[in-house]
Amino acid sequence: MKNQAVSSNIDWISILIYSALVIMGWLNIYSSSLPIDTDTTFDFGEIYGKQLLFIIFTIPLIFVVLSVDGKFYEKYASIIFAIALVALVGLFFFGKTIAGQRCWYAIGSFTIQPSEFAKAATALALAKYLSDVQVNLKDLNRQFQALIIVFLPIILILPQPDPGSALIYTVFILVLHREGLPTIYVWSGFIAIILFVLALILEPLLIIAIALAIVVIIYLRSRIANRNIVASALVMVLISGYVFSVDYVFENVFKQHHRDRFNILLGKQVDLRGVGYNTNQSEIAIGSGGWFGKGFLEGTQTKGGFVPEQHTDYIFTTVGEEWGFVGSLVVIALFACLILRVIYLSERQKTKFSRVYGYCVAGILFIHFFVNVAMVVGIFPTIGVPLPLFSYGGSGLWAFTILLFIFLKMDANKVNEW
């Protein structure tokens, strides 16, 4: 009866969108990885064949996730999170280094990336913590504890180094904001990003002068009772120290390829044959697709192998070249529909745990989608963020499948949560 209830209450709209994205993703992986001189139309030894196996294995994985009692994920959320952290720590001792990153465990020729699965674990832990009836995010201690949950995996992922995966976890700040975290945290983050970029373009003294003018205007426009010259002065000290530290961080903490990517994005450096090659070729591929694309398996940039790693982080270039603007719009619409659907389902949950977890799922899907597409079209630096359910890789596909279907299980069980 319980399994029947789940199957009858499962959100089939989300499953249909999920299936459409996975199938379309595989078709693009097939096109981007099919050798030109191949004698066969299908080979499990090729990238597209391996991805098909990954997709096939998601079927029993979905059944396992849906067969587990929804309360299990809430009851053991802390243990699942602890296991995920241990797996991340283990990479420093047993991880395999690929392309300069120690992000994978290797079992023979098979590799698995624990940071992908840690996103679901972090979402569960955050939902568990926030669902405590005593948690009030107006309290500084509670804020600190919630932020610790978010930043623990970031601290473990950054040294791998994997800034792309670490960036994804910052979306949990928006979930915390939705649950009562003061707006100042979100605004501080946006301002820090803006100041960082400005500090790479303008002189520090000019930025500080502009910031001082803004702070003075805000101070003067405030009511006399709300004016606090000490707080205003402290804000200026923090801004000044931050702006002057950007250059040091950029030159001494960032690696050379990270600095090159930022310089190219900001127009301070042109390197179409080196670091800027991927972005330049992806823009050419997408632009050449026109309105309706060149057709399936007909992309000249794709078949010529001009875009490196096109089946992974740059898979959207295949969509743009072979399916054109209309096809790209369809893919974007599907992602938007899935994200909005998860948000809609989250809003109608009967428990805080499942609602918060749903927000986390929507947030993770959104930031992956937004950063990947922005990266491919050249308005965001290349940092290695895959397109969810689309890019090649078993870890990513399975992790997103687990992430989504845990929530769909919770949603299907909400009728029993009165």
Side-chain angles (χ1 to χ4, degrees):
M1 290 295 292
K2 189 173 291 186
N3 289 334
Q4 183 179 356
V6 170
S7 62
S8 61
N9 292 299
I10 198 79
D11 186 65
W12 291 103
I13 294 177
S14 296
I15 294 178
L16 287 173
I17 299 173
Y18 161 88
S19 302
L21 287 170
V22 171
I23 293 170
M24 293 170 72
W26 183 81
L27 289 173
N28 282 275
I29 291 172
Y30 180 86
S31 179
S32 63
S33 63
L34 182 68
I36 297 176
D37 56 349
T38 184
D39 295 328
T40 60
T41 57
F42 196 85
D43 184 354
F44 281 110
E46 296 289 343
I47 288 172
Y48 60 80
K50 295 177 182 177
Q51 185 69 11
L52 182 59
L53 290 177
F54 295 149
I55 293 172
I56 292 172
F57 287 138
T58 61
I59 297 174
L61 180 62
I62 289 171
F63 279 105
V64 169
V65 172
L66 293 180
S67 66
V68 175
D69 185 3
K71 292 295 183 182
F72 171 88
Y73 301 111
E74 181 176 2
K75 183 178 180 180
Y76 295 102
S78 299
I79 296 176
I80 295 171
F81 182 56
I83 293 172
L85 294 179
V86 171
L88 291 174
V89 171
L91 288 172
F92 295 104
F93 305 97
F94 309 108
K96 179 178 182 180
T97 302
I98 301 176
Q101 294 181 313
R102 201 177 183 87
C103 303
W104 294 269
Y105 287 111
I107 306 173
S109 60
F110 176 75
T111 58
I112 191 165
Q113 189 173 2
S115 62
E116 294 290 341
F117 299 92
K119 295 166 191 172
T122 305
L124 287 170
L126 199 60
K128 174 66 174 176
Y129 179 75
L130 294 179
S131 62
D132 190 321
V133 293
Q134 298 179 352
V135 170
N136 181 359
L137 289 179
K138 302 297 182 182
D139 180 79
L140 283 175
N141 287 331
R142 295 298 189 180
Q143 293 173 16
F144 177 76
Q145 292 167 4
L147 291 172
I148 284 292
I149 295 174
V150 173
F151 282 97
L152 271 177
I154 293 177
I155 292 170
L156 294 175
I157 291 170
L158 273 177
Q160 293 178 3
D162 189 4
S165 293
L167 172 67
I168 299 303
Y169 287 80
T170 60
V171 79
F172 291 121
I173 301 297
L174 296 179
V175 177
L176 291 173
H177 175 60
R178 172 63 178 80
E179 292 301 313
L181 187 71
T183 306
I184 188 173
Y185 286 92
V186 177
W187 277 111
S188 297
F190 281 123
I191 292 172
I193 293 171
I194 292 171
L195 288 175
F196 185 88
V197 174
L198 288 176
L200 296 178
I201 304 173
L202 304 174
E203 289 295 326
L205 290 177
L206 177 58
I207 299 172
I208 292 172
I210 296 172
L212 178 60
I214 294 173
V215 170
V216 169
I217 291 172
I218 294 174
Y219 178 81
L220 294 176
R221 288 180 62 86
S222 301
R223 294 180 179 180
I224 294 177
N226 294 330
R227 290 180 181 177
N228 189 329
I229 193 169
V230 175
S232 300
L234 179 60
V235 168
M236 278 309 305
V237 170
L238 292 174
I239 290 176
S240 300
Y242 178 76
V243 169
F244 276 111
S245 70
V246 167
D247 184 65
Y248 176 84
V249 172
F250 189 70
E251 295 296 334
N252 296 278
V253 177
F254 281 41
K255 293 185 178 295
Q256 184 61 48
H257 63 278
H258 294 144
R259 294 196 294 270
D260 290 338
R261 289 168 181 172
F262 268 97
N263 287 331
I264 289 171
L265 180 67
L266 297 174
K268 299 172 64 175
Q269 178 180 331
V270 178
D271 185 10
L272 300 183
R273 294 182 179 273
V275 177
Y277 178 81
N278 286 25
T279 301
N280 182 56
Q281 291 299 322
S282 69
E283 291 174 355
I284 292 173
I286 292 174
S288 67
W291 283 97
F292 300 102
K294 298 175 181 177
F296 183 57
L297 300 177
E298 298 298 327
T300 53
Q301 293 289 115
T302 297
K303 304 314 295 180
F306 289 100
V307 183
E309 303 300 326
Q310 191 167 2
H311 56 285
T312 54
D313 298 340
Y314 284 86
I315 191 64
F316 194 73
T317 61
T318 307
V319 179
E321 183 179 24
E322 297 191 348
W323 299 16
F325 176 79
V326 173
S328 299
L329 201 60
V330 169
V331 172
I332 291 173
L334 284 172
F335 274 109
C337 287
L338 180 60
I339 294 167
L340 292 173
R341 184 67 182 175
V342 172
I343 293 174
Y344 166 75
L345 295 177
S346 300
E347 290 289 346
R348 69 176 195 176
Q349 295 304 302
K350 294 182 174 66
T351 67
K352 188 174 183 179
F353 177 81
S354 56
R355 184 183 77 236
V356 173
Y357 181 78
Y359 292 146
C360 291
V361 174
I364 293 170
L365 288 172
F366 171 75
I367 194 170
H368 261 278
F369 164 72
F370 176 79
V371 171
N372 180 270
V373 174
M375 179 182 73
V376 168
V377 299
I379 61 175
F380 201 88
T382 302
I383 56 173
V385 173
L387 190 60
L389 308 176
F390 235 80
S391 294
Y392 170 79
S395 293
L397 176 62
W398 296 337
F400 280 114
T401 298
I402 292 172
L403 178 78
L404 177 62
F405 278 86
I406 285 177
F407 176 65
L408 294 182
K409 170 69 175 186
M410 294 177 185
D411 180 67
N413 279 353
K414 68 181 180 301
V415 294
N416 300 319
E417 292 175 350
W418 288 96

PDB file of all heavy atoms in Angstrom, residues 384-404:
ATOM      1  N   GLY A 384      34.629  25.002 -14.544  1.00  0.00           N
ATOM      2  CA  GLY A 384      34.342  23.575 -14.484  1.00  0.00           C
ATOM      3  C   GLY A 384      33.079  23.202 -13.766  1.00  0.00           C
ATOM      4  O   GLY A 384      33.085  22.348 -12.873  1.00  0.00           O
ATOM      5  N   VAL A 385      31.961  23.829 -14.132  1.00  0.00           N
ATOM      6  CA  VAL A 385      30.651  23.474 -13.565  1.00  0.00           C
ATOM      7  C   VAL A 385      29.833  22.802 -14.661  1.00  0.00           C
ATOM      8  O   VAL A 385      29.519  23.425 -15.671  1.00  0.00           O
ATOM      9  CB  VAL A 385      29.911  24.728 -13.045  1.00  0.00           C
ATOM     10  CG1 VAL A 385      28.493  24.366 -12.622  1.00  0.00           C
ATOM     11  CG2 VAL A 385      30.676  25.348 -11.883  1.00  0.00           C
ATOM     12  N   PRO A 386      29.474  21.519 -14.499  1.00  0.00           N
ATOM     13  CA  PRO A 386      28.729  20.802 -15.544  1.00  0.00           C
ATOM     14  C   PRO A 386      27.272  21.226 -15.624  1.00  0.00           C
ATOM     15  O   PRO A 386      26.724  21.790 -14.667  1.00  0.00           O
ATOM     16  CB  PRO A 386      28.857  19.339 -15.117  1.00  0.00           C
ATOM     17  CG  PRO A 386      28.984  19.408 -13.626  1.00  0.00           C
ATOM     18  CD  PRO A 386      29.768  20.652 -13.348  1.00  0.00           C
ATOM     19  N   LEU A 387      26.656  20.946 -16.762  1.00  0.00           N
ATOM     20  CA  LEU A 387      25.225  21.204 -16.936  1.00  0.00           C
ATOM     21  C   LEU A 387      24.471  20.013 -16.365  1.00  0.00           C
ATOM     22  O   LEU A 387      24.649  18.880 -16.836  1.00  0.00           O
ATOM     23  CB  LEU A 387      24.913  21.389 -18.421  1.00  0.00           C
ATOM     24  CG  LEU A 387      23.507  21.906 -18.781  1.00  0.00           C
ATOM     25  CD1 LEU A 387      23.271  23.275 -18.161  1.00  0.00           C
ATOM     26  CD2 LEU A 387      23.338  21.969 -20.297  1.00  0.00           C
ATOM     27  N   PRO A 388      23.639  20.202 -15.343  1.00  0.00           N
ATOM     28  CA  PRO A 388      22.990  19.061 -14.670  1.00  0.00           C
ATOM     29  C   PRO A 388      22.147  18.211 -15.603  1.00  0.00           C
ATOM     30  O   PRO A 388      21.411  18.745 -16.441  1.00  0.00           O
ATOM     31  CB  PRO A 388      22.131  19.735 -13.590  1.00  0.00           C
ATOM     32  CG  PRO A 388      21.978  21.148 -14.023  1.00  0.00           C
ATOM     33  CD  PRO A 388      23.212  21.487 -14.780  1.00  0.00           C
ATOM     34  N   LEU A 389      22.284  16.896 -15.460  1.00  0.00           N
ATOM     35  CA  LEU A 389      21.535  15.886 -16.221  1.00  0.00           C
ATOM     36  C   LEU A 389      21.905  15.879 -17.709  1.00  0.00           C
ATOM     37  O   LEU A 389      21.386  15.076 -18.471  1.00  0.00           O
ATOM     38  CB  LEU A 389      20.017  16.108 -16.086  1.00  0.00           C
ATOM     39  CG  LEU A 389      19.483  16.238 -14.662  1.00  0.00           C
ATOM     40  CD1 LEU A 389      17.984  16.552 -14.683  1.00  0.00           C
ATOM     41  CD2 LEU A 389      19.745  14.969 -13.872  1.00  0.00           C
ATOM     42  N   PHE A 390      22.810  16.759 -18.122  1.00  0.00           N
ATOM     43  CA  PHE A 390      23.162  16.916 -19.528  1.00  0.00           C
ATOM     44  C   PHE A 390      24.614  16.521 -19.804  1.00  0.00           C
ATOM     45  O   PHE A 390      24.892  15.825 -20.768  1.00  0.00           O
ATOM     46  CB  PHE A 390      22.944  18.382 -19.940  1.00  0.00           C
ATOM     47  CG  PHE A 390      22.045  18.561 -21.125  1.00  0.00           C
ATOM     48  CD1 PHE A 390      20.666  18.506 -20.986  1.00  0.00           C
ATOM     49  CD2 PHE A 390      22.561  18.795 -22.387  1.00  0.00           C
ATOM     50  CE1 PHE A 390      19.828  18.677 -22.077  1.00  0.00           C
ATOM     51  CE2 PHE A 390      21.743  18.969 -23.480  1.00  0.00           C
ATOM     52  CZ  PHE A 390      20.368  18.908 -23.333  1.00  0.00           C
ATOM     53  N   SER A 391      25.515  16.995 -18.958  1.00  0.00           N
ATOM     54  CA  SER A 391      26.939  16.747 -19.181  1.00  0.00           C
ATOM     55  C   SER A 391      27.305  15.289 -18.924  1.00  0.00           C
ATOM     56  O   SER A 391      26.643  14.592 -18.148  1.00  0.00           O
ATOM     57  CB  SER A 391      27.781  17.653 -18.275  1.00  0.00           C
ATOM     58  OG  SER A 391      27.629  19.009 -18.619  1.00  0.00           O
ATOM     59  N   TYR A 392      28.377  14.852 -19.577  1.00  0.00           N
ATOM     60  CA  TYR A 392      28.858  13.480 -19.399  1.00  0.00           C
ATOM     61  C   TYR A 392      29.358  13.271 -17.969  1.00  0.00           C
ATOM     62  O   TYR A 392      29.982  14.146 -17.380  1.00  0.00           O
ATOM     63  CB  TYR A 392      29.991  13.195 -20.390  1.00  0.00           C
ATOM     64  CG  TYR A 392      30.713  11.898 -20.124  1.00  0.00           C
ATOM     65  CD1 TYR A 392      30.168  10.684 -20.524  1.00  0.00           C
ATOM     66  CD2 TYR A 392      31.944  11.886 -19.451  1.00  0.00           C
ATOM     67  CE1 TYR A 392      30.827   9.483 -20.285  1.00  0.00           C
ATOM     68  CE2 TYR A 392      32.609  10.696 -19.208  1.00  0.00           C
ATOM     69  CZ  TYR A 392      32.039   9.497 -19.619  1.00  0.00           C
ATOM     70  OH  TYR A 392      32.688   8.315 -19.373  1.00  0.00           O
ATOM     71  N   GLY A 393      29.111  12.089 -17.441  1.00  0.00           N
ATOM     72  CA  GLY A 393      29.645  11.723 -16.138  1.00  0.00           C
ATOM     73  C   GLY A 393      28.641  10.969 -15.289  1.00  0.00           C
ATOM     74  O   GLY A 393      27.493  11.403 -15.147  1.00  0.00           O
ATOM     75  N   GLY A 394      29.074   9.846 -14.745  1.00  0.00           N
ATOM     76  CA  GLY A 394      28.191   9.050 -13.902  1.00  0.00           C
ATOM     77  C   GLY A 394      27.936   9.702 -12.556  1.00  0.00           C
ATOM     78  O   GLY A 394      26.802   9.706 -12.061  1.00  0.00           O
ATOM     79  N   SER A 395      28.987  10.262 -11.948  1.00  0.00           N
ATOM     80  CA  SER A 395      28.826  10.880 -10.623  1.00  0.00           C
ATOM     81  C   SER A 395      27.792  11.991 -10.660  1.00  0.00           C
ATOM     82  O   SER A 395      26.906  12.070  -9.806  1.00  0.00           O
ATOM     83  CB  SER A 395      30.174  11.433 -10.131  1.00  0.00           C
ATOM     84  OG  SER A 395      31.089  10.400  -9.879  1.00  0.00           O
ATOM     85  N   GLY A 396      27.915  12.885 -11.653  1.00  0.00           N
ATOM     86  CA  GLY A 396      26.987  13.997 -11.752  1.00  0.00           C
ATOM     87  C   GLY A 396      25.555  13.537 -11.983  1.00  0.00           C
ATOM     88  O   GLY A 396      24.624  13.997 -11.313  1.00  0.00           O
ATOM     89  N   LEU A 397      25.366  12.621 -12.923  1.00  0.00           N
ATOM     90  CA  LEU A 397      24.026  12.133 -13.246  1.00  0.00           C
ATOM     91  C   LEU A 397      23.394  11.441 -12.048  1.00  0.00           C
ATOM     92  O   LEU A 397      22.232  11.697 -11.705  1.00  0.00           O
ATOM     93  CB  LEU A 397      24.099  11.170 -14.431  1.00  0.00           C
ATOM     94  CG  LEU A 397      22.777  10.504 -14.834  1.00  0.00           C
ATOM     95  CD1 LEU A 397      21.755  11.549 -15.270  1.00  0.00           C
ATOM     96  CD2 LEU A 397      23.009   9.472 -15.939  1.00  0.00           C
ATOM     97  N   TRP A 398      24.124  10.562 -11.400  1.00  0.00           N
ATOM     98  CA  TRP A 398      23.578   9.832 -10.251  1.00  0.00           C
ATOM     99  C   TRP A 398      23.308  10.764  -9.073  1.00  0.00           C
ATOM    100  O   TRP A 398      22.309  10.619  -8.373  1.00  0.00           O
ATOM    101  CB  TRP A 398      24.525   8.711  -9.839  1.00  0.00           C
ATOM    102  CG  TRP A 398      24.689   7.669 -10.899  1.00  0.00           C
ATOM    103  CD1 TRP A 398      23.819   7.380 -11.911  1.00  0.00           C
ATOM    104  CD2 TRP A 398      25.799   6.771 -11.057  1.00  0.00           C
ATOM    105  NE1 TRP A 398      24.309   6.362 -12.697  1.00  0.00           N
ATOM    106  CE2 TRP A 398      25.525   5.960 -12.198  1.00  0.00           C
ATOM    107  CE3 TRP A 398      26.993   6.577 -10.383  1.00  0.00           C
ATOM    108  CZ2 TRP A 398      26.406   4.980 -12.650  1.00  0.00           C
ATOM    109  CZ3 TRP A 398      27.878   5.595 -10.822  1.00  0.00           C
ATOM    110  CH2 TRP A 398      27.578   4.805 -11.945  1.00  0.00           C
ATOM    111  N   ALA A 399      24.223  11.727  -8.859  1.00  0.00           N
ATOM    112  CA  ALA A 399      24.052  12.650  -7.738  1.00  0.00           C
ATOM    113  C   ALA A 399      22.817  13.521  -7.929  1.00  0.00           C
ATOM    114  O   ALA A 399      22.036  13.719  -6.990  1.00  0.00           O
ATOM    115  CB  ALA A 399      25.297  13.524  -7.586  1.00  0.00           C
ATOM    116  N   PHE A 400      22.613  14.034  -9.146  1.00  0.00           N
ATOM    117  CA  PHE A 400      21.430  14.858  -9.407  1.00  0.00           C
ATOM    118  C   PHE A 400      20.163  14.014  -9.344  1.00  0.00           C
ATOM    119  O   PHE A 400      19.104  14.499  -8.911  1.00  0.00           O
ATOM    120  CB  PHE A 400      21.539  15.536 -10.769  1.00  0.00           C
ATOM    121  CG  PHE A 400      22.413  16.756 -10.766  1.00  0.00           C
ATOM    122  CD1 PHE A 400      23.600  16.778 -11.471  1.00  0.00           C
ATOM    123  CD2 PHE A 400      22.051  17.880 -10.050  1.00  0.00           C
ATOM    124  CE1 PHE A 400      24.416  17.902 -11.465  1.00  0.00           C
ATOM    125  CE2 PHE A 400      22.842  19.012 -10.032  1.00  0.00           C
ATOM    126  CZ  PHE A 400      24.037  19.029 -10.737  1.00  0.00           C
ATOM    127  N   THR A 401      20.254  12.764  -9.771  1.00  0.00           N
ATOM    128  CA  THR A 401      19.104  11.864  -9.694  1.00  0.00           C
ATOM    129  C   THR A 401      18.714  11.612  -8.245  1.00  0.00           C
ATOM    130  O   THR A 401      17.536  11.696  -7.872  1.00  0.00           O
ATOM    131  CB  THR A 401      19.430  10.531 -10.396  1.00  0.00           C
ATOM    132  OG1 THR A 401      19.705  10.772 -11.788  1.00  0.00           O
ATOM    133  CG2 THR A 401      18.262   9.564 -10.288  1.00  0.00           C
ATOM    134  N   ILE A 402      19.699  11.321  -7.407  1.00  0.00           N
ATOM    135  CA  ILE A 402      19.432  11.103  -5.979  1.00  0.00           C
ATOM    136  C   ILE A 402      18.872  12.366  -5.351  1.00  0.00           C
ATOM    137  O   ILE A 402      17.881  12.323  -4.604  1.00  0.00           O
ATOM    138  CB  ILE A 402      20.731  10.668  -5.263  1.00  0.00           C
ATOM    139  CG1 ILE A 402      21.156   9.264  -5.724  1.00  0.00           C
ATOM    140  CG2 ILE A 402      20.540  10.695  -3.738  1.00  0.00           C
ATOM    141  CD1 ILE A 402      22.516   8.840  -5.220  1.00  0.00           C
ATOM    142  N   LEU A 403      19.501  13.494  -5.647  1.00  0.00           N
ATOM    143  CA  LEU A 403      19.063  14.784  -5.111  1.00  0.00           C
ATOM    144  C   LEU A 403      17.591  15.047  -5.416  1.00  0.00           C
ATOM    145  O   LEU A 403      16.807  15.389  -4.522  1.00  0.00           O
ATOM    146  CB  LEU A 403      19.929  15.901  -5.712  1.00  0.00           C
ATOM    147  CG  LEU A 403      19.593  17.337  -5.310  1.00  0.00           C
ATOM    148  CD1 LEU A 403      20.133  17.624  -3.910  1.00  0.00           C
ATOM    149  CD2 LEU A 403      20.183  18.330  -6.314  1.00  0.00           C
ATOM    150  N   LEU A 404      17.202  14.877  -6.671  1.00  0.00           N
ATOM    151  CA  LEU A 404      15.832  15.175  -7.096  1.00  0.00           C
ATOM    152  C   LEU A 404      14.832  14.153  -6.579  1.00  0.00           C
ATOM    153  O   LEU A 404      13.764  14.525  -6.057  1.00  0.00           O
ATOM    154  CB  LEU A 404      15.775  15.241  -8.623  1.00  0.00           C
ATOM    155  CG  LEU A 404      14.385  15.473  -9.237  1.00  0.00           C
ATOM    156  CD1 LEU A 404      13.819  16.819  -8.799  1.00  0.00           C
ATOM    157  CD2 LEU A 404      14.444  15.375 -10.759  1.00  0.00           C
TER     158      LEU A 404
END
